[in-house]
Amino acid sequence: INISVFPPSNACIGRYILNMQITSCGHTYQRCLGDFYVLFNPWCADDPVYMDNQAHREEYVLNEHGILYEGVHKHITSRPWHFGQFEDGILDICLKILDMGASYHHGSDRDHCWRNDPVHVSLVVNHMISSHTTNSIVKIPENNDYLKGTKPFSWNGSVPILQQWYNGRCRPVRYGYCGSLASVMCTVMRCLGIPSRVVTNFCFPCSIENPLGINEIFDCTGKNLCGKDKLWRYHCWNESWMARRDLNQCCGDWQCLDPTPLETGRGSACSGPTWVRSIREGELDLDYDGHHMFSRVNSNYVGWLSQNDTVKTKFFCDAWPCGQRLITKSIGSEQFEDITGAYKYELGSVKNKEAYYRAYRRIHPGYCNASNCHIERELSSLKNPFLSDSGINMRLKMANCPMYGEDVQLHWLLENLRSENKNLKFNLCAQIITYSGCPMEQFWKDSVNVTLGPREVKKIPLCISYSQYGPYLCDHNIMKVVAVSDPECGEVLMVSRDIVINRPPVIVKLLSQPRLKVPCTAEISFCNPLQEDMKNCVMTLEGCGLFKEPMTIDLGTLASNQQARTIVEFTPYRLGSHRLLANFGCHKF
């Protein structure tokens, strides 16, 4: 007997058991034929997650290989990620996540009726990734302390994280960061049949007091002081494709889901699903947490000089708004696609201003009946004055693209826009900044007197040696260089630059073409570029379809300029697009 099962498009997803009832000679008995899974179906036109483009389905549902984009908006770095949604056991783990998180929104899961709605499913998954519950999947380290767990940046893929959570009796895996959280969520959503992708936003504000403003405070040396607000250098979240029947949408569109718990005025919370188009239009009353997502791509930056506990002065600086660039992996390519236009209209355009005024009235109830001019005057009073208003233009330009072990070379460009001389004294400094905007050690300071003749342009070279920044960089390979004028000279001027130090490359070379169930070898090589020993060197390998568990190789200590070569043997166990990922770690990073 051949049996075909055709679940309706509104069937609840999950694991089903198929029984057959047989009546023969007056006797009735049941026989279990097996079990099967029902998932969302982006190939089905009646399904709320339907996506009509085959290339998009292949990228956002079927592709197990991803790219995480990090760094700063002027220097974007990338690293590969293995989603692994088709690995053995991952589907059962994803359904376990729904079981564990079912009570979050529905109180009772006895009828499973919500599991046919991708909006409710995404809410549950979003909450389960990294909430403060005892069963959340990934824990974020507090105060950058992860000595009692795995370094957040050492993961290569989602599969080991999900397996560790499942095998560890559903206790949170220590530790992750926004990139791994968004990637794990992308794995779960693709596994359940919901098209998904990871998005990176550069210059991401996290403000508790003012939803549409971010404040950074500096002292007279240029040191970034740790205040309540944080300006994340980048932040990753997830986008999923679905029709919002709750918003009367008949067609699918991208919905923003942020599984990283962030501090808000109402406490720590995850965000989404939020219709991406509603963020661009400023229609914040349509969605879950729309005002949070709007502020994260549209907040204004304000820099302050703190002279003492009571006196603070605004800098003259050319500050960009937040959400400077939003990118995701391109379809069928490892290059990135700029999707900033999906979240916001062009800066300064009429539509951009209209959306901002619309959102401002919803975020600040006191302005619900205010005119556009009234709101614009209020915004102008809050912003930093421009450098050109003081008659000076300044910027810091990179002279090289430094790697670990190399000195940082910059050019400090100054231009006098006036017809009179300018005599200024500047304090310069550099300090480590975490990706989440937490200022750390200030490791370099200097001061310089600058004289500019009428309309004069000067280029001042700056150099920060590896011996100065090397002992402090650690896992956080971002530093901030600041030049701030002495307040006694008049207007307070500031220019800054975030700098990414590139990590040395790990070279992976396949020595034979992978074939199913045929032994294969690869050569992994890494060279120590530093003028010092690297201690506790470890290589972590992960291969999609190549070996089922991550492989860890202890390399010990690598002397200066020493090259480590490792031959790895493996046998591909399933068909597909194979990729070998290698992550190098040591006491430095």
Side-chain angles (χ1 to χ4, degrees):
I1 301 175
N2 293 323
I3 299 175
S4 298
V5 179
F6 297 93
S9 60
N10 62 348
C12 294
I13 66 167
R15 176 175 172 264
Y16 288 77
I17 298 175
L18 183 61
N19 291 319
M20 182 170 63
Q21 182 174 294
I22 302 173
T23 301
S24 176
C25 301
H27 298 282
T28 299
Y29 61 94
Q30 286 190 345
R31 181 175 181 180
C32 180
L33 300 181
D35 55 12
F36 63 92
Y37 296 84
V38 173
L39 306 176
F40 292 107
N41 186 358
W43 281 263
C44 175
D46 295 328
D47 199 292
V49 302
Y50 174 63
M51 184 174 264
D52 63 358
N53 188 304
Q54 175 61 18
H56 289 198
R57 291 192 293 253
E58 290 177 359
E59 178 65 49
Y60 301 131
V61 182
L62 301 179
N63 192 1
E64 294 185 80
H65 305 314
I67 301 289
L68 297 188
Y69 296 101
E70 302 169 342
V72 297
H73 75 284
K74 290 185 177 180
H75 184 169
I76 297 173
T77 61
S78 65
R79 64 190 187 95
W81 188 271
H82 174 210
F83 291 122
Q85 65 267 31
F86 301 120
E87 293 288 343
D88 290 343
I90 295 300
L91 178 55
D92 288 323
I93 295 175
C94 293
L95 295 178
K96 180 68 173 180
I97 292 171
L98 298 186
D99 292 339
M100 299 298 294
S103 61
Y104 176 56
H105 285 286
H106 304 275
S108 173
D109 194 35
R110 60 180 178 271
D111 55 7
H112 295 79
C113 63
W114 58 273
R115 299 198 186 202
N116 66 353
D117 186 349
V119 174
H120 288 298
V121 169
S122 65
L123 279 167
V124 171
V125 175
N126 202 29
H127 169 77
M128 281 296 297
I129 296 296
S130 186
S131 64
H132 293 302
T133 63
T134 56
N135 300 120
S136 62
I137 299 171
V138 186
K139 187 175 179 61
I140 298 175
E142 298 179 2
N143 302 318
N144 300 304
D145 179 14
Y146 39 79
L147 295 178
K148 296 181 180 179
T150 303
K151 290 184 177 182
F153 294 92
S154 65
W155 300 104
N156 292 324
S158 305
V159 174
I161 296 175
L162 290 169
Q163 288 175 339
Q164 185 174 326
W165 174 79
Y166 186 75
N167 296 330
R169 298 183 179 180
C170 303
R171 289 190 294 267
V173 176
R174 302 170 184 258
Y175 290 100
Y177 76 112
C178 66
S180 52
L181 268 59
S183 299
V184 169
M185 181 167 190
C186 187
T187 295
V188 175
M189 299 295 271
R190 289 186 184 184
C191 184
L192 297 177
I194 303 175
S196 297
R197 63 188 185 183
V198 177
V199 172
T200 301
N201 174 22
F202 295 94
C203 292
F204 176 87
C206 189
S207 176
I208 298 176
E209 297 179 349
N210 183 5
L212 286 172
I214 184 79
N215 296 286
E216 278 198 316
I217 304 172
F218 301 80
D219 66 13
C220 294
T221 69
K223 181 180 180 180
N224 191 333
L225 304 177
C226 188
K228 293 181 180 179
D229 293 353
K230 297 289 185 297
L231 182 62
W232 291 35
R233 271 46 199 174
Y234 66 89
H235 181 60
C236 302
W237 61 63
N238 192 79
E239 279 186 0
S240 293
W241 181 274
M242 64 190 75
R244 295 291 300 275
R245 304 284 167 84
D246 56 323
L247 301 180
N248 296 319
Q249 290 180 9
C250 58
C251 299
D253 206 345
W254 289 114
Q255 314 293 328
C256 178
L257 291 142
D258 189 352
T260 303
L262 296 171
E263 291 298 326
T264 67
R266 297 177 296 174
S268 179
C270 305
S271 296
T274 306
W275 187 21
V276 171
R277 191 175 301 177
S278 72
I279 300 172
R280 185 180 64 181
E281 302 296 338
E283 298 285 357
L284 308 186
D285 51 356
L286 295 178
D287 275 305
Y288 303 92
D289 307 316
H291 58 294
H292 291 317
M293 296 310 304
F294 183 89
S295 66
R296 290 167 187 174
V297 296
N298 288 284
S299 289
N300 291 301
Y301 173 88
V302 184
W304 298 86
L305 175 69
S306 176
Q307 295 174 260
N308 53 51
D309 293 337
T310 57
V311 178
K312 291 184 177 65
T313 307
K314 282 183 184 178
F315 288 117
F316 280 75
C317 65
D318 288 335
W320 288 76
C322 299
Q324 292 187 21
R325 203 172 191 184
L326 292 100
I327 63 175
T328 188
K329 180 183 177 297
S330 295
I331 297 170
S333 166
E334 295 197 355
Q335 302 300 314
F336 65 76
E337 176 188 355
D338 193 316
I339 59 170
T340 309
Y343 281 82
K344 55 201 294 189
Y345 289 107
E346 185 179 353
L347 185 64
S349 67
V350 173
K351 287 187 175 181
N352 175 258
K353 290 182 179 180
E354 289 175 350
Y356 194 92
Y357 297 147
R358 196 178 297 120
Y360 197 89
R361 293 186 180 98
R362 286 167 168 79
I363 292 174
H364 298 285
Y367 289 84
C368 60
N369 296 316
S371 65
N372 291 349
C373 294
H374 186 186
I375 296 175
E376 189 61 43
R377 285 195 300 269
E378 181 69 18
L379 293 174
S380 298
S381 67
L382 297 175
K383 293 179 181 178
N384 285 91
F386 291 104
L387 278 170
S388 55
D389 296 338
S390 65
I392 293 286
N393 267 342
M394 293 192 298
R395 63 191 180 104
L396 291 168
K397 184 178 180 181
M398 297 300 300
N400 68 338
C401 190
M403 188 177 291
Y404 267 86
E406 296 179 349
D407 297 344
V408 177
Q409 307 285 348
L410 300 99
H411 289 147
W412 181 19
L413 306 177
L414 301 98
E415 180 183 6
N416 183 4
L417 304 176
R418 302 284 167 80
S419 300
E420 64 269 5
N421 290 334
K422 291 276 188 178
N423 296 303
L424 299 167
K425 179 183 179 182
F426 284 92
N427 295 320
L428 297 95
C429 83
Q431 70 183 123
I432 303 302
I433 299 288
T434 69
Y435 83 96
S436 57
C438 295
M440 300 179 75
E441 290 86 356
Q442 183 187 43
F443 59 85
W444 176 76
K445 289 193 296 184
D446 200 358
S447 60
V448 61
N449 293 306
V450 178
T451 300
L452 293 172
R455 309 290 178 178
E456 183 181 5
V457 177
K458 275 190 176 180
K459 180 191 289 187
I460 300 175
L462 301 175
C463 178
I464 303 172
S465 67
Y466 171 75
S467 61
Q468 291 172 311
Y469 74 78
Y472 302 94
L473 207 54
C474 300
D475 286 338
H476 308 286
N477 58 335
I478 301 174
M479 70 170 73
K480 188 177 188 68
V481 177
V482 176
V484 55
S485 64
D486 194 313
E488 296 179 359
C489 297
E491 299 106 343
V492 183
L493 315 176
M494 184 191 76
V495 64
S496 65
R497 176 86 185 216
D498 291 337
I499 299 171
V500 177
I501 306 298
N502 292 312
R503 297 186 178 186
V506 179
I507 299 173
V508 179
K509 182 181 179 182
L510 288 175
L511 302 181
S512 57
Q513 186 66 28
R515 297 172 59 191
L516 183 64
K517 298 182 180 179
V518 175
C520 180
T521 56
E523 181 184 81
I524 320 295
S525 59
F526 175 85
C527 183
N528 176 10
L530 307 181
Q531 299 301 313
E532 58 181 292
D533 292 348
M534 282 184 170
K535 302 175 183 178
N536 305 323
C537 297
V538 174
M539 192 81 74
T540 304
L541 306 178
E542 187 170 339
C544 175
L546 301 179
F547 35 88
K548 294 188 176 182
E549 294 183 359
M551 183 184 300
T552 301
I553 302 172
D554 189 355
L555 301 177
T557 299
L558 289 181
S560 175
N561 296 317
Q562 180 183 349
Q563 188 167 30
R565 282 191 178 91
T566 302
I567 302 297
V568 180
E569 295 185 355
F570 51 87
T571 302
Y573 59 89
R574 68 177 175 90
L575 294 172
S577 176
H578 299 126
R579 181 197 284 184
L580 180 60
L581 306 183
N583 196 346
F584 178 84
C586 67
H587 72 298
K588 284 288 183 181
F589 48 84

